Amino acid sequence: MSTIALIEEARRSRDWNRFVEAIPHMRFLGVSVEETGGRLVGRMKYADHLVGNPTIPALHGGTLGAMLEAAAQFELLYRAETVALPKTITITVDYLRSGRALDTFVRAHIVRQGRRVTTVQSVAWQEDEAKPIATATVHLLILGEGA
């Protein structure tokens, strides 16, 4: 199924995990998405292959960055009219504390939406949402259909 078809199906069925299918590495990371109170929340289930430093063990920063970026894309797909997967222009990730060998959650919100560029902030946490482990500011390019 094409990316556009997956996004359209996600909206029609309200099965937001179709967004995960549109980004293959999200499946590898074990990410799932659900809607809670009108907000999308992503979950990356802990797995050994996500560890970057086995002596601590701490999650690899790349897995957190990828999850934060995808959360921004998912939020834009969820809120905007676009059916094409938004393209990342820039992403700035702030790592605040080590991600431990636990499930990790992420949510995002749109800061500013223009006609072509949108700014989204994402936050990742583990046991306590008030204690984020990483945050990101993502600038996304909104593409037309079929792009």
Side-chain angles (χ1 to χ4, degrees), residues 10-131:
R11 286 196 178 118
R12 206 173 14 261
S13 67
R14 302 192 63 78
D15 176 4
W16 307 114
N17 285 301
R18 294 294 203 166
F19 289 164
V20 174
E21 293 177 37
I23 305 174
H25 65 274
M26 287 297 102
R27 292 191 306 265
F28 173 77
L29 295 178
V31 172
S32 61
V33 181
E34 65 181 55
E35 183 179 17
T36 306
R39 301 285 313 252
L40 290 185
V41 176
R43 177 183 185 163
M44 182 171 65
K45 209 151 175 56
Y46 172 77
D48 288 337
H49 71 276
L50 302 175
V51 171
N53 184 344
T55 58
I56 298 177
L59 294 176
H60 190 285
T63 63
L64 292 173
M67 187 178 178
L68 289 161
E69 179 181 13
Q73 291 173 316
F74 295 164
E75 183 67 17
L76 185 54
L77 288 170
Y78 178 68
R79 302 268 176 215
E81 296 296 319
T82 184
V83 293
L85 189 63
K87 302 293 184 198
T88 301
I89 299 169
T90 61
I91 178 170
T92 303
V93 179
D94 294 311
Y95 297 98
L96 306 174
R97 54 180 53 91
S98 289
R100 295 175 293 143
L102 300 167
D103 289 359
T104 304
F105 302 89
V106 67
R107 63 178 164 71
H109 73 277
I110 295 172
V111 175
R112 182 184 182 284
Q113 185 169 353
R115 287 181 301 147
R116 302 285 291 159
V117 177
T118 299
T119 302
V120 182
Q121 290 184 327
S122 303
V123 177
W125 72 93
Q126 289 183 315
E127 295 177 306
D128 183 352
E129 190 173 355
K131 294 180 181 176

Side-chain angles (χ1 to χ4, degrees), residues 123-146:
V123 177
W125 72 93
Q126 289 183 315
E127 295 177 306
D128 183 352
E129 190 173 355
K131 294 180 181 176
I133 60 172
T135 63
T137 300
V138 186
H139 300 280
L140 298 163
L141 177 63
I142 302 170
L143 302 170
E145 277 190 50

